[in-house]
């Protein structure tokens, strides 16, 4: 078994990596479509804005939260809560609240589901036009894999205990 | 203080619940407190030995989810217009299209995510809620597992909503082809969210209270 600070350091580094890749995934072009001389580049934000008319606007907000905002909040909260524990320093104020929030938001973070949805969409348009996969697609796929690895490493009871001992 | 022999592996009836031991465990962080504690001293969450309103919330969210699932299937999910035609496709229509394209595997993924998982969830949650109401003591382990599966798998229904989002963002080629989201995408997303909330409101500890005095 790895010692606790080592495990914490791994979780923290994975969370930082995922956070940075997520920002790349949001800002670079995600997919590009070419058909009959017309060209359309799409970013993750465009996918959110697809629901931009009338009744669907709340859905745009919800999708934005599910695939970008909530994953980023979870990562940020985790980095905030675990950062000092790696250095074996006392926990930051509100570290427990932050970790509790990251745990509670877990079911609502749907980045991995989004990637499967993208795959399905790719197959649906494959016959219609030429689709080019942009750098953001790979960044997003990376975020998903790293998030899975990170969640595998997290033992929430030992983190609660560590937060307890560092008396934040 | 009484000491309980927690190591004995007898029949299920020999188990001792935290409640019987005069304790209450925090559902978020696992910290154990005395029965009368109201807030968890570790994670500051609210403590409840049993969520007495659990079933009310489960039924309310579940019914909302089932109602939202009807328009999700009746109205179109995608509005496609190309040079030659305009078409609308519902959830089932989309699955048929994929089968005609020859993408059987993807058709199965979409069918499982948008039809089988939501339907299975409705049935599973109804079963869990009804058996708890009847104080049934049968298949407690099985029911607890069923609950965990429902909680884990429910979010995957969102696939179809994301497919619609990506397709409508990507396929915007003026006159040649455009795809726009239909109103069913909204009600389908609502249905998934409501059933997720329903599953989260279910207090799994009630399953184990069948032959005990719950309150």
């Amino acid at each position: 078994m790895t010692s606790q600070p080592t495990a914490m350091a791994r979780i923290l580094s994975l969370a930082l990596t995922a956070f940075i890749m997520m920002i790349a995934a949001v800002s670079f072009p995600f997919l590009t479509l070419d058909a009959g001389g017309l060209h359309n580049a799409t970013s993750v934000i465009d996918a959110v804005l697809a629901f931009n008319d009338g009744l669907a606007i709340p859905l745009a907000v919800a999708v934005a939260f599910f695939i970008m905002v909530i994953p980023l909040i979870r990562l940020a909260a985790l980095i905030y809560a675990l950062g000092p524990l790696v250095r074996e320093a006392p926990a930051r104020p509100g570290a427990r609240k932050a970790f509790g929030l990251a745990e509670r938001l877990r079911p609502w973070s749907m980045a991995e589901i989004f990637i499967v949805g993208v795959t399905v969409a790719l197959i649906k348009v494959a016959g219609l036009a030429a689709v080019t996969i942009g750098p953001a697609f790979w960044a997003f796929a990376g975020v998903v894999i790293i998030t899975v690895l990170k969640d595998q490493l997290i033992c929430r009871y030992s983190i609660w205990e560590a937060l307890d001992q560092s008396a934040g | 203080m009484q000491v309980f022999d927690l190591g004995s592996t007898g029949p299920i009836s020999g188990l001792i619940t935290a409640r019987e031991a005069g304790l209450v465990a925090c559902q978020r962080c696992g910290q154990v407190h005395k029965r009368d504690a109201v807030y968890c001293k570790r994670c500051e969450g609210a403590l409840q030995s049993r969520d007495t309103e659990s079933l009310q919330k489960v039924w309310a969210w579940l019914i909302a989810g089932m109602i939202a699932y009807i328009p999700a299937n009746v109205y179109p999910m995608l509005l496609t217009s190309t040079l030659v035609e305009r078409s609308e496709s519902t959830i089932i229509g989309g699955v048929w299209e994929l089968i005609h394209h020859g993408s059987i595997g993807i058709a199965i993924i979409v069918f499982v995510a948008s039809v089988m998982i939501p339907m299975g969830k409705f049935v599973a949650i109804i079963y869990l809620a009804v058996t708890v109401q009847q104080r049934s003591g049968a298949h407690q382990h099985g029911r607890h597992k069923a609950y965990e599966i429902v909680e884990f798998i429910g979010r995957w229904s969102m696939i179809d909503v994301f497919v619609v989002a990506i397709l409508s963002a990507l396929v915007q080629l003026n006159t040649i082809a455009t795809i726009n989201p239909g109103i069913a995408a909204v009600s389908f997303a609502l249905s998934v969210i409501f059933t997720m909330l329903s599953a989260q409101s279910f207090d799994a500890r009630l399953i184990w209270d069948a032959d005990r005095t719950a309150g």
Side-chain angles (χ1 to χ4, degrees):
Chain A
M1 210 189 117
T2 43
S3 69
Q4 241 188 26
T6 320
M8 295 275 183
R10 278 188 199 162
I11 296 169
L12 189 70
S13 52
L14 288 173
L16 277 169
T17 316
F19 193 89
I20 292 163
M21 283 176 92
M22 190 70 183
I23 289 166
V26 173
S27 32
F28 289 114
F30 195 73
L31 295 168
T32 316
L33 185 72
D34 285 287
L38 285 167
H39 176 87
N40 183 35
T42 309
S43 69
V44 176
I45 293 182
D46 292 324
V48 169
L49 294 178
F51 300 111
N52 60 357
D53 57 322
L55 269 173
I57 286 175
L59 185 57
V61 178
V63 170
F65 268 85
F66 290 153
I67 64 180
M68 300 185 307
V69 180
I70 290 179
L72 282 174
I73 291 177
R74 278 196 71 209
L75 291 168
L78 201 63
I79 293 166
Y80 178 82
L82 297 190
L85 298 185
V86 175
R87 289 178 278 121
E88 296 185 64
R92 289 197 181 99
R96 296 152 191 239
K97 278 225 170 75
F99 184 66
L101 180 75
E103 282 293 301
R104 237 175 332 149
L105 287 178
R106 197 179 203 152
W108 302 101
S109 162
M110 301 190 179
E112 72 273 32
I113 301 169
F114 178 68
I115 274 288
V116 177
V118 171
T119 318
V120 174
L122 278 181
I123 287 167
K124 279 195 170 184
V125 285
L128 185 76
V131 182
T132 321
I133 291 172
F137 179 87
W138 300 113
F140 210 95
V143 171
V144 170
I145 293 167
I146 290 169
T147 307
V148 170
L149 289 176
K150 183 206 74 188
D151 284 344
Q152 291 273 305
L153 273 178
I154 288 181
C155 167
R156 67 183 173 118
Y157 298 117
S158 28
I159 291 178
W160 278 118
E161 237 158 62
L163 285 171
D164 246 6
Q165 282 157 12
S166 67
Chain B
M1 195 185 158
Q2 274 178 286
V3 177
F4 293 95
D5 177 18
L6 297 175
S8 66
T9 48
I12 296 174
S13 58
L15 285 176
I16 287 165
T17 61
R19 192 184 175 80
E20 284 165 343
L23 299 168
V24 53
C26 176
Q27 293 270 280
R28 287 163 62 194
C29 68
Q31 177 74 46
V32 178
H33 301 263
K34 288 257 168 61
R35 244 316 276 281
D36 48 7
V38 182
Y39 288 101
C40 176
K41 59 188 172 193
R42 184 193 254 174
C43 65
E44 292 157 29
L47 290 175
Q48 249 181 328
S49 182
R50 293 294 181 272
D51 185 351
T52 45
E53 272 126 47
S54 166
L55 288 176
Q56 280 189 38
K57 286 184 261 177
V58 169
W59 282 115
W61 286 121
L62 180 70
I63 291 166
M66 287 166 78
I67 291 171
Y69 192 65
I70 299 169
N73 278 284
V74 174
Y75 290 106
M77 204 71 174
L78 282 176
L79 314 168
T80 314
S81 44
T82 60
L83 280 175
V84 284
E85 55 167 358
R86 281 180 61 85
S87 65
E88 298 180 341
S89 65
T90 56
I91 292 176
I92 295 292
V95 174
W96 270 120
E97 242 170 69
L98 282 168
I99 293 174
H100 284 295
H101 269 274
S103 325
I104 306 288
I106 296 292
I108 291 171
I109 293 180
V110 175
F111 185 75
V112 168
S114 348
V115 181
M116 300 218 340
I117 293 180
M119 291 288 201
K121 252 177 93 169
F122 296 149
V123 175
I125 295 176
I126 291 173
Y127 169 69
L128 288 171
V130 167
T131 47
V132 163
Q133 268 166 349
Q134 291 174 341
R135 295 275 176 94
S136 158
H139 316 296
Q140 283 167 316
H141 279 290
R143 276 154 57 203
H144 196 100
K145 279 216 180 85
Y147 169 69
E148 283 183 353
I149 293 170
V150 165
E151 243 214 324
F152 170 79
I153 224 166
R155 38 207 287 283
W156 283 92
S157 299
M158 274 291 184
I159 287 181
D160 228 23
V161 174
F162 295 144
V163 171
V164 172
I166 273 287
L167 280 179
S168 2
L170 193 60
V171 187
Q172 289 296 342
L173 301 170
N174 300 326
T175 49
I176 298 185
T178 49
I179 293 181
N180 285 307
I183 196 68
V186 179
S187 47
F188 187 76
L190 278 178
S191 172
V192 176
I193 292 170
F194 288 158
T195 38
M196 278 175 73
L197 288 169
S198 172
Q200 284 178 11
S201 329
F202 186 76
D203 188 345
R205 293 171 294 191
L206 293 171
I207 296 174
W208 303 94
D209 278 345
D211 39 6
R212 299 188 172 96
T213 47

